[in-house]
Amino acid sequence: MKNKIMFCNIAWMKNYLGTKNDPPINGGQHIKDVGSGGEVYSFLDDNGKCHGFVRIHGNIALEKHFKGVTSKDQYVDDVLVVWVATNEKKETRIVGWYKNARVYRTDKDLNFFVNSQESSYYNIVADARDCDLIPEDSRTFPIHRAREVGRGMGFGQSNIWYAESEFARENIVPRVLEYIEDYKGPYANFIYDLWNLEKDIEDIEFLNDFQKLYEEGVKNYNQRNYYDAIVYFKAAQRINEPIEMLAKLAESLFYALRYDKAISLFNRLIDIEGETINSLIFLMSSYDYIEDREKTIEYANKIVSFPTDSADDIEHKIFAYCVLFDIYIYKNKFKKAEKTLSDLEDYFKGVAKNSQEDINETIYRMKENLRQVNKAYLGHN
């Protein structure tokens, strides 16, 4: 186990997969005010990574606590991050840990232009396979507060504790390291790469019935049980690979946050049947979610240039124009943003399937956004 360690105090939650049916408690004033925070997704396996967040005032002073780190370094690697939270009984417990984590000096944004409501922020990241969350009823290891047990013997007022006192290094840290190394209990978080997919496939009773496997896959897909859908589609794939099934499997991978795998399969679909709006939309969105902006732009441009104008295609093209516009605004490429807006206005003139009210609202929002960011940008330069 590495000797770089930090304890991070966050809100208490059951799963840390978002606030739906899992409201955070005892997370400080920000959580009280808005009901959410950066830590609420700390154990979500997002394309093989977990993004954690600990709220502090200012930046994380890495050089003060990690040997060999300078004030110019923006992150430090190979840190054991121990996540600590306080339950309803006011008991502070270890809830999980990241091994081999990267800790950033400043908060990082997760900006998603295909769905801004899912944008978030983090200051700690690790491979999902190195992240372990303990179920609520198994969180038994206490980490005390300094006000209760004495200075250097527990958390102070900050949400980060480096356990640097002689007492902590000799008495607390060794016990924590031993606890993590020897922990044999259950885990509450799901890690895709550690999932025994083949076993779940072999447990299916009708492995030789393609139609039934496909129908069960579609049923679970429609119920948003995407992992179960993947099981049935993967089993069906052993027998046959019709395009409609591969498309559903690719979409299931996308909704299960397996963007790399979804990208590979959508590209395979394009090799088989050529480009479709559906595949292009999912590819644009997948690249956006892994923050590959150049690829996001590439596929957005493919969408706006797609040579059909069905009602659905029109909506997809407008969406792609908006994604392009927002990315250019974010990157301070205002000329390209203006050109995208102009292209969208020209496109609107050629299609009459949108109400004028909807058109005006979209154009007004974009023009107002461009005006405000231009003003802000010029004010800082």
Side-chain angles (χ1 to χ4, degrees), residues 257-284:
L257 313 185
R258 317 320 303 169
Y259 302 118
D260 289 341
K261 296 180 184 297
I263 287 168
S264 177
L265 191 48
F266 278 116
N267 278 319
R268 185 182 169 199
L269 281 167
I270 288 175
D271 288 340
I272 295 171
E273 63 175 346
E275 291 182 345
T276 65
I277 279 281
N278 188 67
S279 290
L280 295 176
I281 283 287
F282 275 102
L283 282 166
M284 177 185 72

Side-chain angles (χ1 to χ4, degrees), residues 9 17 98 112 125 210 220 296 302 361:
N9 181 62
L17 300 176
Y98 288 4
F112 303 132
V125 64
F210 172 84
N220 280 279
T296 307
K302 284 177 178 285
E361 182 179 340

Side-chain angles (χ1 to χ4, degrees), residues 119-139:
S119 295
S120 187
Y121 45 91
Y122 65 98
N123 45 26
I124 302 170
V125 64
D127 289 339
R129 60 173 51 244
D130 286 334
C131 302
D132 297 316
L133 177 67
I134 305 171
E136 282 188 296
D137 57 3
S138 298
R139 298 172 187 174

Side-chain angles (χ1 to χ4, degrees), residues 211-344:
Q211 189 59 34
K212 194 168 182 180
L213 290 169
Y214 176 66
E215 289 173 357
E216 282 296 313
V218 171
K219 174 184 173 182
N220 280 279
Y221 174 91
N222 290 336
Q223 294 174 345
R224 300 185 180 182
N225 299 325
Y226 298 115
Y227 290 100
D228 290 338
I230 290 169
V231 171
Y232 288 108
F233 289 141
K234 283 283 192 181
Q237 191 179 16
R238 294 178 173 183
I239 303 170
N240 196 7
E241 292 188 321
I243 286 177
E244 61 270 19
M245 190 208 70
L246 291 178
K248 285 295 185 187
L249 174 56
E251 291 175 21
S252 298
L253 290 165
F254 172 86
Y255 290 122
L257 313 185
R258 317 320 303 169
Y259 302 118
D260 289 341
K261 296 180 184 297
I263 287 168
S264 177
L265 191 48
F266 278 116
N267 278 319
R268 185 182 169 199
L269 281 167
I270 288 175
D271 288 340
I272 295 171
E273 63 175 346
E275 291 182 345
T276 65
I277 279 281
N278 188 67
S279 290
L280 295 176
I281 283 287
F282 275 102
L283 282 166
M284 177 185 72
S285 300
S286 295
Y287 280 115
D288 185 56
Y289 280 124
I290 63 173
E291 299 187 282
D292 187 334
R293 302 301 178 221
E294 295 308 311
K295 281 291 188 180
T296 307
I297 291 170
E298 175 187 335
Y299 282 95
N301 279 317
K302 284 177 178 285
I303 293 165
V304 301
S305 302
F306 200 75
T308 62
D309 279 317
S310 68
D312 287 341
D313 291 348
I314 290 171
E315 294 300 320
H316 290 318
K317 289 185 178 185
I318 294 170
F319 175 49
Y321 274 119
C322 292
V323 169
L324 284 170
F325 177 84
D326 289 342
I327 291 176
Y328 290 141
I329 290 290
Y330 177 76
K331 296 168 80 69
N332 294 328
K333 295 183 177 181
F334 302 128
K335 291 296 183 183
K336 288 191 174 184
E338 289 174 359
K339 176 65 165 56
T340 301
L341 177 55
S342 176
D343 290 344
L344 178 55

Side-chain angles (χ1 to χ4, degrees), residues 41 109-121 289:
Y41 290 103
D109 291 329
L110 279 172
N111 287 304
F112 303 132
F113 297 97
V114 297
N115 190 345
S116 61
Q117 292 183 344
E118 292 186 4
S119 295
S120 187
Y121 45 91
Y289 280 124

